[in-house]
């Protein structure tokens, strides 16, 4: 499955449907991390495992929630990600499907 989504994402999605204030779902961890935007424009971010850091490395983040976007300020293995609340429609999943998007946790693929 898509590493950006919870294993039971379809059950969680049913609970979240109709919640107009939901803009970001954070979960963790998947070894490589992952990212996807669902059909409602909600960002799903799975943070990478800190277990994959080299000895003395870092893997943590803080999240700034603003009026029009969220910023994940990652350190070490966690990238910096700027996540606008209004997402271009072509970037969204079709409802009921999973669409693979570039993984921002791959070196050089951060969303900024």
């Amino acid at each position: 499955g898509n590493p950006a989504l919870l294993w039971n994402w379809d059950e969680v999605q049913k609970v979240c449907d109709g919640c107009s204030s939901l803009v970001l779902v954070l979960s963790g961890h998947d070894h490589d991390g992952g990212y996807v935007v669902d059909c409602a424009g909600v960002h799903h971010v799975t943070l990478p495992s800190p277990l994959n850091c080299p000895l003395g490395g870092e893997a943590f983040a803080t999240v700034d929630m603003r009026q029009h976007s969220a910023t994940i300020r990652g350190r070490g293995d966690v990238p910096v990600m700027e996540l606008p609340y209004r997402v271009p429609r072509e970037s969204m999943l079709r409802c009921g499907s999973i669409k693979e998007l570039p993984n921002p946790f791959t070196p050089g693929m951060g969303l900024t």
Side-chain angles (χ1 to χ4, degrees), residues 2 13 21-22 42-43 47 52 62 65 70 82 97:
N2 187 311
Q13 188 69 39
S21 62
L22 182 66
V42 176
H43 299 276
L47 299 174
N52 292 338
T62 59
M65 303 298 288
E82 184 68 29
S97 68

Side-chain angles (χ1 to χ4, degrees), residues 43-58:
H43 299 276
H44 295 258
V45 178
T46 301
L47 299 174
S49 171
L51 298 174
N52 292 338
C53 285
L55 188 60
E58 297 178 326

Side-chain angles (χ1 to χ4, degrees), residues 2 35-37 90-93 99-104 109:
N2 187 311
Y35 172 71
V36 71
V37 179
E90 63 272 7
S91 298
M92 294 182 189
L93 297 174
K99 175 184 174 188
E100 294 289 335
L101 294 175
N103 187 343
M109 293 300 293

Side-chain angles (χ1 to χ4, degrees), residues 60-78:
F60 66 92
T62 59
V63 180
D64 294 331
M65 303 298 288
R66 295 194 176 88
Q67 186 176 357
H68 301 290
S69 67
T71 302
I72 297 176
R73 298 187 187 285
R75 294 286 305 256
D77 287 350
V78 180

